[in-house]
Amino acid sequence: MFNRKNLARMAGVGAAATIAMGLFSTGAANADTFVPLPGGELVKTLSDGTVVTVRLVGESATISPSMGSTPLHRNAWVSGSAQVELSGTAGGKIFPGYTVGCQVNIAGGGATGGVDGNVDWSGDTVTGGVGANSGGNLSLGPGQAKSFYVLDLEQADDFGNESHKTRNAFKGTSGSVTWADETIGLNGCGGYAQARAFVSVEVETDNVITWVTLWGQPFSLG
């Protein structure tokens, strides 16, 4: 038998179910977003005739809702592989990383396929290892950009002390670095945020020591 009290209880149950469904819908809308990226390739001939080929392959990003649940927090997991080929017997060091910007255009400096030499974004020069640190947890305000290296290799120095390297060294005609689910955590950015991969390579031959940098395509962090 229905009475006003029973109807009120049923209405309350219906309202609770509606709220629960609304919460589930919000969760679905905030699911991770997988972003395939095109990578790139750069070929450069050095002054001694050595041909350097730098590739960024298998690049992707997974953009995730922030655990902070505010517009000031962004999270992403990035993956890719940096590959270097040299035409002659030489060697080099590979420094893969990312530049992250908050309300700043980080698409400058060349086409998607990459550019070589020194590239300066908001005073943050990546080539040569200047201005980039290891670790992808960054705090940025509007108009700021920072870079970080993917690698943090722990090894003993010449005196047996602990040291950390942000590069993978190789000898001969080829070398590579592959990374998976490297974290980009961005805090403090209240506006549009972007990130962009780079692969900086120091090449050393019998006659030349130089740097070559390949840039990937910028992608949105939200």
Side-chain angles (χ1 to χ4, degrees):
M1 180 176 181
F2 291 113
N3 55 40
R4 291 182 181 179
K5 198 173 289 186
N6 289 336
L7 288 172
R9 288 199 190 106
M10 292 176 66
V13 170
T18 302
I19 292 172
M21 289 176 66
L23 290 175
F24 288 135
S25 298
T26 301
N30 290 339
D32 292 353
T33 301
F34 178 78
V35 181
L37 294 165
E41 178 177 306
L42 176 66
V43 180
K44 181 177 176 63
T45 302
L46 306 184
S47 58
D48 67 349
T50 301
V51 179
V52 181
T53 303
V54 184
R55 297 186 183 92
L56 177 60
V57 301
E59 188 190 6
S60 66
T62 300
I63 315 302
S64 173
S66 169
M67 294 181 67
S69 298
T70 75
L72 300 180
H73 297 80
R74 322 290 168 84
N75 288 302
W77 286 270
V78 289
S79 302
S81 180
Q83 302 174 359
V84 180
E85 294 180 3
L86 308 176
S87 63
T89 302
K93 299 172 183 176
I94 307 172
F95 297 77
Y98 288 83
T99 292
V100 181
C102 175
Q103 288 187 288
V104 61
N105 180 21
I106 63 170
T112 301
V115 295
D116 60 278
N118 291 323
V119 177
D120 191 338
W121 287 340
S122 300
D124 210 359
T125 304
V126 175
T127 303
V130 178
N133 299 308
S134 60
N137 291 314
L138 308 172
S139 294
L140 293 177
Q144 293 182 328
K146 290 184 180 179
S147 300
F148 71 94
Y149 290 123
V150 168
L151 297 180
D152 183 11
L153 305 179
E154 182 179 326
Q155 63 186 65
D157 61 18
D158 295 338
F159 302 97
N161 298 317
E162 179 182 310
S163 66
H164 293 263
K165 303 295 184 181
T166 56
R167 87 295 182 271
N168 180 43
F170 68 94
K171 294 182 179 180
T173 59
S174 65
S176 65
V177 176
T178 299
W179 59 97
D181 294 332
E182 174 72 19
T183 301
I184 298 178
L186 176 59
N187 298 312
C189 180
Y192 181 70
Q194 279 187 312
R196 190 181 195 187
F198 65 84
V199 180
S200 282
V201 182
E202 181 185 22
V203 181
E204 183 174 355
T205 71
D206 292 337
N207 304 302
V208 177
I209 298 178
T210 190
W211 284 81
V212 177
T213 299
L214 167 69
W215 295 101
Q217 176 176 285
F219 56 94
S220 173
L221 295 175

